């Protein structure tokens, strides 16, 4: 890792398809590791953010590799958010804040903890509430864009 990626960047260039693919594979490896730490997830997110930006610039937003990398970035962010949520729930269960509410099979976690559900926009990286997305984008499982990012992409495509 410490030798291959710099060598690829130096000989092929940072925007070369193979260099971007090596970075994507590194991110996948960090994500899939059974001993994945929060720092590994943050590194994977940083790597994928860079890869997606480069792919969009070099190959365009509709290229299949760009879309694949956006899905990988979304997976990284989902896993990172799950880790953060788990830490927040553990803090709520600490003796200082009292016991955690009992989970009901019928109620989603955001109702049990009085939290407004938010989802991450794959373009801007912000965690936004449902009113910031179209119905289709809110339900999307892989690549999700908020209304502002959709409008910016539309303006970019026409301009």
């Amino acid at each position: 890792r410490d030798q291959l990626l710099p060598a690829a960047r130096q000989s092929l260039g940072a925007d070369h398809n193979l260099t971007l693919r090596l970075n994507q594979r590194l991110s996948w490896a960090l994500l899939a590791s059974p001993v994945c730490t929060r720092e590994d997830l943050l590194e994977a997110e940083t790597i994928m953010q860079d890869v997606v930006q480069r792919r969009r610039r070099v190959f365009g937003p509709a290229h299949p590799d760009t879309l694949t990398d956006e899905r990988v970035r979304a997976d990284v962010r989902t896993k990172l958010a799950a880790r953060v949520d788990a830490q927040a729930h553990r803090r709520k269960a600490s003796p200082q804040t009292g016991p955690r509410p009992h989970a009901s099979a019928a109620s989603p976690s955001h109702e049990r903890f009085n939290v407004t559900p938010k989802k991450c926009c794959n373009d801007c990286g912000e965690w936004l509430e449902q009113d910031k997305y179209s119905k289709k984008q809110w339900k999307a499982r892989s690549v999700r864009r908020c209304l502002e990012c959709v409008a910016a992409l539309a303006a970019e495509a026409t301009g």
Side-chain angles (χ1 to χ4, degrees), residues 9 23 48 51 57-58 62 71 74 76 95 113 132 136 150:
R9 277 190 208 102
N23 280 298
M48 287 312 301
V51 169
R57 186 170 32 87
V58 175
R71 284 191 295 273
V76 170
F113 296 104
K132 303 293 183 191
K136 181 180 176 183
V150 169

Side-chain angles (χ1 to χ4, degrees), residues 19-68:
T19 306
L20 295 172
R21 190 165 294 172
L22 286 170
N23 280 298
Q24 179 207 53
R25 297 292 195 252
L26 173 59
S27 182
W28 270 351
L30 290 168
L31 183 66
S33 171
V35 291
C36 180
T37 64
R38 184 173 185 274
E39 288 75 27
D40 291 338
L41 291 174
L42 290 170
E43 182 181 359
E45 181 183 26
T46 302
I47 291 168
M48 287 312 301
Q49 182 66 29
D50 179 60
V51 169
V52 167
Q53 287 175 352
R54 289 178 188 278
R55 287 255 192 227
R56 279 194 189 141
R57 186 170 32 87
V58 175
F59 298 103
H63 191 275
D65 288 343
T66 304
L67 298 174
T68 298

Side-chain angles (χ1 to χ4, degrees), residues 87-147:
Q87 290 172 345
H89 293 309
R90 280 196 296 272
R91 272 188 249 117
K92 282 187 176 186
S94 71
Q96 298 165 342
T97 58
R100 188 161 75 181
H102 293 288
S104 164
S107 69
S109 63
H110 65 271
E111 290 176 5
R112 292 193 312 254
F113 296 104
N114 269 343
V115 178
T116 304
K118 294 182 180 182
K119 293 187 179 180
C120 184
C121 173
N122 294 106
D123 279 358
C124 64
E126 292 186 47
W127 287 86
L128 303 168
E129 296 175 1
Q130 187 171 359
D131 64 334
K132 303 293 183 191
Y133 296 94
S134 68
K135 280 186 177 181
K136 181 180 176 183
Q137 291 293 330
W138 181 255
K139 292 179 182 179
R141 291 185 180 265
S142 56
V143 178
R144 178 178 301 110
R145 292 184 176 100
C146 66
L147 293 172

